Amino acid sequence: MKREAYVKMTDLVRERKALRAAVIWSDRLLTKLAYIIYPVFVIILFIKKDPDAVRALLVPGISFGAVSLFRWAFRAPRPYEVFETTPVIKKNTKGKSFPSRHVFSIFVIGASIMWFSPLWGAALMAAGAVMAAARVLGGVHFPRDVIAGALIGAGCGIAGFWLIP
């Protein structure tokens, strides 16, 4: 993404009060939603004594750790660092942009839940697509960051449930 396109996009969001509020609100709400749904989901599985409860805990957990280590080592700069601008979504983190861990998280949780409930898993991944758009429009990630986060998250969830017995 070129600086002109990035600045034009974030200025458009910044200048329209309703759009700015929608971007910020959807990012916050969907982040909280994912981080509430996941522990509730795991607790329910343990209460039901589901044989896949431990896997539901480990697949997202191990994947999250691996992605976090990769981001730390890769140190990709964020758009507001590269273009020296202020993001719409308040953030001052340096680096750790690739892949988006927010988007990764909602997709790995969605893919994990899909093993148990395709409808709920798909709904959470659809929410992840909205979150991905908000993270880009909010100026804290490049499109490649959220696309990679979604693909890696979904891939880890699929691998952890469908490919590993």
Side-chain angles (χ1 to χ4, degrees):
M1 179 175 269
K2 295 187 187 244
R3 184 182 197 289
E4 297 79 27
Y6 173 80
V7 169
K8 186 175 181 179
M9 175 190 67
T10 54
D11 282 350
L12 180 76
V13 173
R14 200 175 284 107
E15 292 165 2
R16 290 174 172 71
K17 187 177 179 179
L19 181 57
R20 182 178 66 243
V23 165
I24 293 168
W25 179 83
S26 62
D27 178 63
R28 286 183 188 158
L29 177 70
L30 295 173
T31 299
K32 286 178 174 69
L33 178 72
Y35 292 118
I36 290 169
I37 287 175
Y38 178 60
V40 169
F41 159 67
V42 171
I43 289 167
I44 290 169
L45 292 177
F46 275 103
I47 289 170
K48 289 179 153 184
K49 297 183 173 141
D50 190 295
D52 287 321
V54 172
R55 191 180 347 186
L57 185 64
L58 292 178
V59 168
I62 292 169
S63 301
F64 183 85
V67 164
S68 295
L69 283 172
F70 175 81
R71 282 167 36 111
W72 176 81
F74 196 65
R75 300 181 193 265
R78 294 180 177 271
Y80 56 83
E81 293 177 90
V82 173
F83 301 132
E84 298 177 351
T85 60
T86 303
V88 175
I89 295 172
K90 296 203 186 305
K91 191 142 187 93
N92 58 13
T93 304
K94 301 290 184 203
K96 299 184 273 186
S97 183
F98 181 85
S100 168
R101 198 165 53 185
H102 278 79
V103 175
F104 162 82
S105 296
I106 201 166
F107 272 85
V108 74
I109 293 166
S112 298
I113 290 175
M114 192 173 283
W115 176 256
F116 302 90
S117 171
L119 178 64
W120 285 104
L124 195 54
M125 289 202 284
V130 174
M131 177 191 280
R135 304 290 292 169
V136 172
L137 291 171
V140 295
H141 282 293
F142 290 105
R144 67 164 190 248
D145 302 336
V146 299
I147 292 167
L151 293 173
I152 295 167
C156 287
I158 291 167
F161 282 93
W162 280 277
L163 301 179
I164 299 171

